[in-house]
């Protein structure tokens, strides 16, 4: 959003690509050997940490991947030999996507896949010359998801755990976190309990016996804003999301196709 000239944007894409590769290599080394090149060990739950001290490498890679891929795709299509550039682009994307999957973080992996398919669908509608490329990338996404699930027991087990959670959602750890955030917002509808106070008050619910699980946040941004900032904070957050969506929609409407 800040950079407007081609050279710094291209440099940003290169730096993001290098960063993603380094973190992915470190994380995959941990997946194979139990300890990363940065000397961090796998968490007790089996989730990977990569170069970080806790289990957040999956969400970090997911957040960095999409802007990096947007920049790389844009400049790949402008190269004199776009096929070679697009091959490098696809290799980087699938390499990082696979790393997110084996990290054990299901939400970042699912959201990355969903976000990718959404972007590709929009490109197919607005950019007709890219339809064949988008279809190829879609096939690649479905292909790598299938390969990971069928060849990596860890990825398969994490997926099956999702179905187990859904069968008894409100009694699961995530369901309890959702309920706590909602309950905090209901009891403090206008102000919430204060930013970052969910993690503090969670122990009160735990001590009262109303829940059996605590965490730093409720794993749902809308409930987190409602619980910690009340209806005012939630509405402001929703307004921000709406403005971002409107900006994207206007940009798409300006595409000639």
């Amino acid at each position: 959003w800040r950079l407007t000239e081609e050279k710094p944007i291209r440099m940003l894409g290169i730096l993001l690509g290098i960063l993603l590769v380094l973190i992915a290599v470190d994380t995959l080394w941990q997946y194979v050997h139990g300890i990363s090149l940065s000397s961090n060990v796998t968490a007790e739950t089996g989730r990977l940490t990569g170069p970080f001290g806790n289990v957040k490498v999956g969400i970090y890679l997911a957040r960095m991947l999409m802007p990096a891929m947007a920049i790389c795709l844009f400049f790949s299509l402008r190269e004199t030999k776009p096929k070679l550039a697009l091959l490098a682009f696809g290799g980087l994307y699938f390499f990082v996507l696979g790393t997110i999957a084996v990290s054990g973080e299901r939400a970042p992996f699912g959201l990355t896949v969903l976000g990718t398919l959404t972007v590709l669908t929009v490109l197919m509608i607005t950019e007709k010359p890219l339809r064949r490329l988008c279809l190829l990338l879609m096939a690649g996404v479905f292909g790598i998801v299938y390969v990971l699930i069928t060849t990596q027991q860890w990825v398969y087990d994490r997926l099956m755990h999702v179905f187990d959670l859904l069968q008894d959602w409100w009694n699961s750890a995530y369901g309890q976190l959702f309920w706590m955030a909602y309950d905090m917002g209901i009891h403090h509808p206008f102000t919430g309990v204060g930013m970052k106070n969910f993690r503090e008050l969670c122990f009160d619910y735990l001590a009262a016996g109303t829940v059996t699980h605590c965490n730093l946040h409720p794993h749902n941004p809308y409930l987190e804003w409602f619980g910690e900032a009340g209806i005012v904070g939630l509405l402001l957050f929703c307004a921000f999301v709406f403005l971002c969506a409107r900006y994207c929609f206007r940009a798409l409407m300006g595409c000639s196709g």
Side-chain angles (χ1 to χ4, degrees):
W1 291 349
R2 289 289 184 179
L3 302 179
T4 57
E5 298 180 5
E6 179 177 321
K7 186 176 180 180
I9 294 176
R10 185 187 290 267
M11 180 58 66
L12 175 63
I14 294 173
L15 292 175
L16 285 175
I18 294 173
L19 177 67
L20 288 169
V21 169
L22 290 176
I23 293 178
V25 169
D26 189 69
T27 305
L28 290 176
W29 186 274
Q30 186 183 58
Y31 180 62
V32 175
H33 300 284
I35 184 170
S36 68
L37 293 171
S38 53
S39 301
N40 292 308
V41 297
T42 304
E44 294 182 0
T45 59
R47 293 168 61 181
L48 304 181
T49 63
F52 303 105
N54 52 29
V55 288
K56 61 183 179 184
V57 66
I59 189 63
Y60 183 89
L61 288 174
R63 287 174 174 173
M64 293 294 103
L65 179 62
M66 299 305 284
M69 290 300 96
I71 296 172
C72 291
L73 179 60
F74 176 78
F75 286 108
S76 295
L77 294 171
R78 298 181 62 184
E79 293 291 333
T80 55
K81 295 182 179 180
K83 289 185 178 180
L84 183 61
L86 288 171
L87 183 63
F89 160 80
L92 174 62
Y93 173 81
F94 291 118
F95 180 61
V96 176
L97 182 64
T99 305
I100 297 173
V102 300
S103 73
E105 295 191 52
R106 296 161 298 196
F109 179 67
L111 290 173
T112 301
V113 171
L114 180 61
T116 302
L117 295 177
T118 301
V119 169
L120 293 176
T121 301
V122 171
L123 285 176
M124 289 177 62
I125 296 172
T126 60
E127 303 290 343
K128 293 181 181 179
L130 297 181
R131 286 181 177 175
R132 182 176 298 180
L133 173 62
C134 291
L135 286 173
L136 183 63
L137 290 173
M138 278 187 174
V141 171
F142 285 117
I144 193 172
V145 170
Y146 175 78
V147 169
L148 287 168
I149 292 175
T150 55
T151 63
Q152 303 300 309
Q153 186 64 40
W154 168 240
V155 177
Y156 176 81
D157 291 342
R158 295 294 288 172
L159 178 63
M160 290 299 102
H161 188 232
V162 173
F163 294 109
D164 293 338
L165 290 173
L166 293 175
Q167 291 178 2
D168 191 20
W169 174 255
W170 293 112
N171 289 321
S172 69
Y174 294 104
Q176 292 180 50
L177 294 173
F178 277 31
W179 174 81
M180 273 190 290
Y182 171 78
D183 191 65
M184 291 177 189
I186 287 296
H187 285 88
H188 304 84
F190 298 108
T191 62
V193 296
M195 305 304 292
K196 302 296 183 181
N197 278 339
F198 177 89
R199 63 192 66 184
E200 305 296 336
L201 295 178
C202 182
F203 292 103
D204 294 340
Y205 285 83
L206 193 66
T210 54
V211 299
T212 59
H213 182 78
C214 267
N215 203 289
L216 297 177
H217 57 93
H219 289 74
N220 182 301
Y222 296 93
L223 287 174
E224 184 170 359
W225 277 103
F226 179 55
E228 294 190 344
I231 191 66
V232 176
L234 175 61
L235 290 176
L236 289 173
F237 177 69
C238 290
F240 170 74
V241 174
F242 170 77
L243 291 174
C244 290
R246 188 181 67 169
Y247 179 86
C248 295
F249 181 76
R250 287 181 173 177
L252 290 175
M253 291 298 98
C255 294
S256 58

